[in-house]
Amino acid sequence: MGKRRGGRELLRSLSKRQKKHLREFGEEHPFYDKVFACCLLGCYCCWYYTRVFPFQSENSDKSSAESDSETEVEQVSVYHKLLATLKTSPESESEEDDDESESEEAGESEAEIDSEGSQETREADEGEEDKNDVLEQEEGSLSTDTAEQTLGQEQADGADTSCDPSHEVIEEFTDVKHESEFSLETNFMEEESGDCNADKRDSNSSQAFSEDPFKQHMDKELEEKEVEKMSTLPKTSSQSKWPRLGQLTFSSTLEKHRTLKADKEVDVKQLYLHKPLECTWPKVNKQYLSSMNKPSNPFFTPLQRELFCIMNTYRDLFYPERNALTNGEEIRHTYCLHALNHVLKANAQVLSDNAKRRDQKPGPDNDDYRDQGLTRPKVLMIVPFRECALRIVHIFISLLEVNEKRKIDVSNKKRFKGEFGFDPEEKPPNLKRPEDYEAVFAGNIDDHFRIGVAILQKSMRLYAPFYSSDIIIASPLGMRTIIGAEGEKKRDFDFLSSIEILIIDQADIYLMQNWEHVLHLMKHINLLPLEPHGVDFSRVRMLNLNNWSKYYRQTLLFSALQDPQINSIFNKHCFNYMGQVAVRNVPLSGSISHVVVQLPHVFRRLEAENITSVIETRFQFFINKVLPEYRDAIMSHTLIYVPSYFDYVRLRNYFKKEDLNFTHICEYTKKGGVCRARRFFLKGEKQFLLLTERFHFYKRYVIKGIRNLIFYELPTYSHFYSEICNMMKATDNGADATWTCTVLYSKYDAQKLAAVVGIDRTAQMLQSKKDVHLFVTGEN
C-alpha cells in the first residue's frame, strides 16, 4: 500500500490530487486505499464510520482484518502525519487552475425572478381556462415549477453549483484562491492585543469559559434517558410577563430551569461577546439608541435587551410581533449579533485547538479536542428576499470592522453587490403603496437565492461553498432547489446536518410564497450526512456522532403574526433541550377599529366537527346560505375575498358551473386580465369578483366599485381587513346605504378573529355561537 507506481499508463490514471500527493510524498495518499479508515482514524472511528455511513459497510470487515495483520505501530504515526496534511474536501481541489475557477465565477448567475417575487414567473393562462386538474396541481406550489425550471437552467448555465453532488468536486468552489485562507484546519488562533480595551478577561481561562453560555450549551452532555424524555414526554410550561416583550410562555421537557428574568441593565462583560464585538456593537447599534430620549442602556434598546437575553441562553424563541416599519431592523441587528458571536466563538475554539494539536507530540487523538460538527455550517438564516440577505451581510461587515483603519477583507464583495443590490431607477414611477408594503418590498425582492459565508479572524468570504461556510443565508425556494425531492439524482442536504442556530425571519411572508418549502426544509435539517465530506471524526462532538444535533439546535422564529402553521413549526420541529420561549400577547383592539367607512359587519359562524372538516363545511355553508342572498341583481358589485388558492379554484369552478355573472383575479392573472376584471366590476358588467389574498399581498391594488363585501375566510394579515373595507370609500356613486360586509368564521379561527375584532369581542362571539352584527362608525 502506498508505494510509488511505475509507468506512464498508471500515472495517467491518477487524478490531479493523487498526482500532487505522489510528487510531494512519493506515495499515493492513504485516503484512496481500502483500509484508510482504520489506519487513519483508529478502530473506534472506523466502527462508527461504517455505522453512520452504511455505504462503506461492505469493506469494513475486510479493512479491519487487514489493519490488524499488516499495519505496524510505526505506520500509524506516519499516517497521522499524513492526516495532518490532508485538507478537507474544499481545499483538496485547490490545485485547479485559477483561470478555470475565474471563468466559472464569471459564468455564474442566479436565475432572476420577477420583481414582484416569483409570482408572475409561473403565470398560468388563468383567463378563461377551465382545466381544473392543472389548476388544482398548481395550488400550494406557487414557486415549485419556477424552482425546477430555474434549477435546470441554473445547472445548464453552470450557475451556483456549490452544493450539487452530481458535479465534479472542483465545480463546488467559486473562489479557489481563498480556500486555504478560510480553512479552519490549516489556520491557528492569532494573538490580538490592543483591540477593545474593554476586554480584560483571559480568553483561555477555564473560569471565564465555565460561565460562557456558548460553552455551557455546547459542552452539556445529555444522557440517553434525557433524550428519551424529550422524545416521548409532553412539555411543561410556565407563564411570565416582561416589561417590553409582554406575556411569555416558557416550555421545556426536562427538569425546570431557573426562572429567566429580564435584566434591567446589561453589563457587556456578562454577555460574553467575542472580543471584537464588544466595541463594534455599540457603534453599529447607535442609530437605534439615538432615537430614544433617555436610553437606559448604552448597548441595547429595551426590545433588543430582552430578546438578546433570551437568545444568549440558547433557548428557542418565537416572536410574532415583528413589524417592518417599526422594530424589524432592531430585531435583525440583534439576531445578527447573536449568530456572529456564536460563529466567532466556535471558530476560535477550533483554531485554538489546532495550535494545541500542532504543539502536541504524535500519538493517539485526544477527546479533549472534540470541537466540530459533521459538517462546517453552523448557522442557517432563512429570509424572504435578496435585500434581506444584503442587509445581513452589511451588518456582519460592520460588526467585524473595529475601526476605519482596520477594514475587514471581504472576498467577492463586488459580485455580491451586483447580484443582491438594487437599482432605484428600476422601481416603477408613481407607484403609490401603503408604508408597510414599501418597507417589506424594498430593494431586490428576488426570492430565489442562497449564499455561503465563511468567517475567519479578520476576513469574510462571500459565495463560499456550503461545506466551507460558517453561515448560510438563503430563501426557502433557494433551499428547496438544493435539497430536492426524494428520487431526484441531483440533491444535497448533508450541509444541514450540524446546524446549531436556525433563524427564520419574516415567517409570515412564506405563507404568501410557498409554505411547503419551509416544511420541506425542517424535515431535512439535522439529519445524519450521507457522505463523510472529509470530516476528521476525532474532532467531531459526541452530540453529533450520537445524532442528537436537533436537541442542541437553537431556533429563532420571527413573524408579524400568530398563525397555526407558524405555531406548528415551533411546536413540532423545535427540540432544544434548553426549552422554548414564545411571546403570546393577545390583541386588545382589532383592526376593525381602523375601518373609516360606516359599514355594518355581519360575522356568520359556521359549525365544524373538527379542523379538517372546516374547508368542506365552509364551502357548503357559503353556497347554501350566503350566496343565495347575493344572487339578486340588487346585490351587485360584490367582492369575495378568498385567502386560500385552493378555495379560490373551487369557487371559480362552481361559479362557472352555475353560469354566474362573475370575474376573477388571482396572483397568476396577467396584467391585461387584471385590468379587464377591474373595469368589468367597476361598471357593473360583472356582478361578482373573486379576489385572492396573495394577489392583494403582492399588488395592493385599490378595487373600485365595491358595494358588498364577503370575506370567505378571515384574512391572514389582520390589517388587510380594514384595507379591503376602506376600499369602499373609493366608490363615487353615493350608495352608502346599501353597503354590506359579511364574514365567515369558525371556532378554529380564534387567533385571526381576535386580531380583527379584539380579544374581548372574540370571547363573546365564541361563547354565543350565533351570528354577530357590528356597526363600525369609523371611530371605534
Side-chain angles (χ1 to χ4, degrees):
M1 180 192 78
K3 294 183 179 179
R4 181 181 303 200
R5 295 181 179 179
R8 293 184 178 180
E9 294 183 0
L10 292 176
L11 287 174
R12 290 173 183 171
S13 64
L14 299 178
S15 66
K16 290 186 177 181
R17 284 180 292 172
Q18 291 171 310
K19 291 178 182 178
K20 181 181 178 183
H21 195 276
L22 190 62
R23 289 195 304 269
E24 293 180 355
F25 298 97
E27 62 178 6
E28 286 189 81
H29 202 289
F31 181 82
Y32 302 100
D33 193 273
K34 294 182 179 180
V35 296
F36 79 96
C38 291
C39 292
L40 295 182
L41 304 178
C43 294
Y44 168 75
C45 288
C46 182
W47 166 81
Y48 180 78
Y49 186 86
T50 56
R51 176 187 173 190
V52 178
F53 306 108
F55 66 87
Q56 292 287 352
S57 60
E58 59 183 0
N59 297 329
S60 60
D61 295 337
K62 180 180 178 181
S63 301
S64 179
E66 293 182 12
S67 175
D68 292 338
S69 60
E70 299 179 3
T71 306
E72 298 180 359
V73 177
E74 291 79 9
Q75 289 178 319
V76 175
S77 62
V78 173
Y79 290 140
H80 275 83
K81 291 180 180 179
L82 289 177
L83 181 60
T85 66
L86 174 61
K87 299 177 182 178
T88 56
S89 176
E91 295 176 274
S92 59
E93 323 325 342
S94 61
E95 65 271 7
E96 275 295 341
D97 296 334
D98 288 344
D99 54 349
E100 291 182 12
S101 65
E102 290 173 2
S103 63
E104 283 183 5
E105 187 171 339
E108 289 184 350
S109 61
E110 288 285 338
E112 294 295 322
I113 300 178
D114 185 82
S115 61
E116 292 293 343
S118 92
Q119 302 298 316
E120 296 182 3
T121 59
R122 293 185 56 251
E123 286 178 348
D125 293 332
E126 181 70 17
E128 302 297 331
E129 184 181 15
D130 192 22
K131 298 179 180 180
N132 302 343
D133 294 339
V134 175
L135 287 170
E136 291 179 5
Q137 290 176 359
E138 286 182 356
E139 206 311 296
S141 59
L142 186 58
S143 302
T144 302
D145 291 346
T146 302
E148 295 173 354
Q149 295 171 5
T150 305
L151 180 61
Q153 183 65 33
E154 180 181 89
Q155 293 170 346
D157 297 340
D160 197 1
T161 58
S162 60
C163 294
D164 194 340
S166 65
H167 288 70
E168 294 296 331
V169 183
I170 186 61
E171 295 185 2
E172 283 191 15
F173 309 108
T174 60
D175 193 14
V176 177
K177 62 182 180 180
H178 289 98
E179 196 59 36
S180 60
E181 177 185 351
F182 285 90
S183 173
L184 290 179
E185 287 75 12
T186 58
N187 277 271
F188 305 94
M189 178 64 71
E190 293 183 358
E191 293 295 333
E192 298 183 6
S193 58
D195 297 334
C196 302
N197 295 327
D199 191 356
K200 297 181 181 179
R201 61 179 180 272
D202 182 4
S203 60
N204 296 323
S205 164
S206 59
Q207 180 180 0
F209 276 133
S210 64
E211 298 178 0
D212 188 345
F214 166 78
K215 294 290 293 181
Q216 290 180 348
H217 181 67
M218 300 307 299
D219 291 348
K220 164 77 173 178
E221 294 186 5
L222 293 175
E223 299 179 358
E224 292 188 4
K225 294 181 179 179
E226 294 176 319
V227 174
E228 186 178 353
K229 273 186 179 181
M230 289 186 287
S231 303
T232 57
L233 298 181
K235 299 175 183 178
T236 58
S237 59
S238 59
Q239 305 290 331
S240 179
K241 190 170 185 179
W242 284 21
R244 179 61 179 82
L245 293 179
Q247 195 71 28
L248 303 184
T249 300
F250 296 84
S251 58
S252 176
T253 305
L254 302 181
E255 58 182 350
K256 295 183 179 180
H257 300 277
R258 61 181 179 85
T259 304
L260 187 62
K261 297 182 180 180
D263 298 326
K264 295 182 179 180
E265 296 183 1
V266 178
D267 183 1
V268 67
K269 293 184 179 181
Q270 295 177 353
L271 298 178
Y272 293 92
L273 296 178
H274 197 262
K275 202 167 189 179
L277 300 180
E278 291 188 359
C279 60
T280 57
W281 170 251
K283 299 176 184 177
V284 174
N285 200 48
K286 185 178 180 180
Q287 55 180 320
Y288 304 107
L289 295 173
S290 60
S291 61
M292 302 172 59
N293 296 330
K294 293 182 180 180
S296 58
N297 189 280
F299 298 101
F300 297 99
T301 64
L303 175 62
Q304 289 177 329
R305 184 181 69 250
E306 296 184 10
L307 286 175
F308 192 80
C309 181
I310 298 173
M311 293 180 190
N312 208 33
T313 61
Y314 282 88
R315 288 175 170 87
D316 294 337
L317 172 64
F318 176 35
Y319 182 71
E321 298 179 10
R322 186 195 190 280
N323 190 306
L325 280 173
T326 56
N327 58 18
E329 290 304 310
E330 287 183 60
I331 294 172
R332 198 195 311 275
H333 277 69
T334 307
Y335 69 64
C336 283
L337 172 66
H338 177 61
L340 190 58
N341 187 43
H342 178 86
V343 169
L344 291 176
K345 287 180 180 179
N347 286 354
Q349 183 179 5
V350 174
L351 298 178
S352 177
D353 289 347
N354 287 346
K356 296 177 183 177
R357 285 166 58 93
R358 177 184 59 177
D359 298 336
Q360 193 179 43
K361 294 181 180 180
D365 290 328
N366 194 330
D367 280 353
D368 292 342
Y369 301 126
R370 294 194 176 274
D371 49 19
Q372 310 177 15
L374 289 167
T375 52
R376 179 170 171 177
K378 308 168 187 65
V379 178
L380 175 62
M381 305 177 110
I382 301 299
V383 291
F385 306 118
R386 284 180 182 257
E387 173 68 16
C388 306
L390 179 70
R391 297 185 183 186
I392 288 173
V393 171
H394 284 168
I395 294 173
F396 286 160
I397 295 174
S398 301
L399 287 173
L400 291 173
E401 288 183 346
V402 177
N403 50 53
E404 295 181 358
K405 295 181 180 179
R406 181 181 163 186
K407 292 288 185 179
I408 181 175
D409 181 20
V410 182
S411 61
N412 299 322
K413 189 175 182 179
K414 183 177 180 181
R415 174 187 170 189
F416 177 73
K417 287 185 176 180
E419 295 183 2
F420 285 77
F422 174 74
D423 186 0
E425 295 182 358
E426 297 178 2
K427 185 177 180 180
N430 302 324
L431 184 64
K432 295 182 180 180
R433 294 290 184 269
E435 291 183 354
D436 65 297
Y437 179 92
E438 297 288 351
V440 170
F441 292 97
N444 189 335
I445 57 171
D446 176 17
D447 66 350
H448 185 198
F449 63 91
R450 52 190 175 267
I451 182 172
V453 181
I455 299 173
L456 194 63
Q457 297 179 358
K458 305 173 184 178
S459 52
M460 176 188 296
R461 178 188 180 195
L462 302 176
Y463 294 97
F466 281 2
Y467 291 99
S468 300
S469 302
D470 297 301
I471 301 174
I472 296 174
I473 309 172
S475 64
L477 178 59
M479 282 286 95
R480 180 64 176 80
T481 55
I482 285 292
I483 295 174
E486 187 175 356
E488 293 182 2
K489 294 181 179 180
K490 301 177 181 179
R491 60 185 310 223
D492 188 11
F493 49 85
D494 286 357
F495 57 88
L496 299 173
S497 62
S498 300
I499 294 297
E500 296 164 0
I501 296 180
L502 170 63
I503 300 173
I504 303 179
D505 195 12
Q506 296 177 271
D508 52 287
I509 295 181
Y510 310 138
L511 296 172
M512 299 293 114
Q513 292 178 344
N514 193 331
W515 188 251
E516 290 297 325
H517 296 336
V518 179
L519 297 177
H520 194 71
L521 169 65
M522 299 305 296
K523 293 176 182 178
H524 290 83
I525 196 169
N526 292 127
L527 300 179
L528 283 176
L530 302 178
E531 297 180 9
H533 301 287
V535 64
D536 181 358
F537 285 97
S538 65
R539 300 286 296 273
V540 178
R541 295 188 184 96
M542 293 306 299
L543 68 94
N544 299 101
L545 296 177
N546 291 330
N547 195 23
W548 292 348
S549 300
K550 65 179 182 180
Y551 299 112
Y552 288 79
R553 186 191 76 230
Q554 180 187 30
T555 303
L556 305 178
L557 186 59
F558 302 98
S559 171
L561 52 89
Q562 295 197 37
D563 186 88
Q565 297 182 83
I566 300 176
N567 292 336
S568 176
I569 289 289
F570 193 71
N571 295 330
K572 295 182 179 180
H573 296 276
C574 296
F575 308 95
N576 192 347
Y577 78 88
M578 287 295 295
Q580 289 78 34
V581 180
V583 178
R584 302 295 186 188
N585 294 321
V586 293
L588 299 178
S589 62
S591 63
I592 195 172
S593 61
H594 298 136
V595 177
V596 297
V597 297
Q598 296 185 2
L599 181 67
H601 302 256
V602 180
F603 290 83
R604 306 194 65 172
R605 175 164 177 164
L606 51 96
E607 298 296 335
E609 296 181 358
N610 51 61
I611 193 170
T612 58
S613 64
V614 170
I615 297 176
E616 181 64 28
T617 303
R618 179 179 285 108
F619 178 73
Q620 296 298 331
F621 185 88
F622 176 79
I623 62 176
N624 295 328
K625 295 186 178 181
V626 178
L627 189 58
E629 300 175 0
Y630 289 85
R631 288 202 177 194
D632 197 320
I634 301 177
M635 306 297 289
S636 61
H637 296 272
T638 299
L639 174 69
I640 304 175
Y641 182 88
V642 188
S644 170
Y645 187 80
F646 278 116
D647 295 330
Y648 163 80
V649 171
R650 191 174 188 182
L651 288 175
R652 188 204 61 196
N653 294 339
Y654 177 81
F655 276 38
K656 285 183 178 180
K657 180 181 177 181
E658 296 295 319
D659 197 23
L660 297 178
N661 184 23
F662 82 104
T663 185
H664 49 88
I665 301 175
C666 74
E667 54 270 25
Y668 302 121
T669 307
K670 296 181 178 180
K671 291 183 179 180
V674 173
C675 293
R676 288 192 298 271
R678 294 175 68 188
R679 183 175 66 254
F680 291 157
F681 183 71
L682 176 62
K683 294 183 177 180
E685 297 179 14
K686 299 293 182 180
Q687 182 178 357
F688 297 98
L689 171 62
L690 296 178
L691 183 73
T692 63
E693 183 173 66
R694 278 195 278 193
F695 174 83
H696 182 67
F697 175 80
Y698 280 101
K699 299 297 184 181
R700 295 290 188 92
Y701 288 172
V702 175
I703 307 298
K704 296 182 179 180
I706 303 174
R707 296 180 186 175
N708 304 288
L709 181 59
I710 300 176
F711 285 93
Y712 187 79
E713 184 182 357
L714 284 162
T716 303
Y717 290 90
S718 60
H719 63 277
F720 282 2
Y721 184 89
S722 57
E723 279 188 17
I724 299 296
C725 290
N726 289 333
M727 288 181 185
M728 291 184 172
K729 67 180 180 181
T731 304
D732 299 328
N733 56 11
D736 296 13
T738 62
W739 287 352
T740 64
C741 178
T742 302
V743 185
L744 308 187
Y745 77 98
S746 70
K747 63 180 180 180
Y748 300 106
D749 298 322
Q751 284 184 337
K752 294 181 179 180
L753 187 62
V756 171
V757 301
I759 187 63
D760 294 334
R761 283 176 175 170
T762 300
Q764 297 174 1
M765 293 168 68
L766 294 179
Q767 290 177 0
S768 66
K769 296 184 179 182
K770 297 179 180 179
D771 295 346
V772 177
H773 297 258
L774 300 177
F775 186 77
V776 177
T777 63
E779 299 177 355
N780 53 350

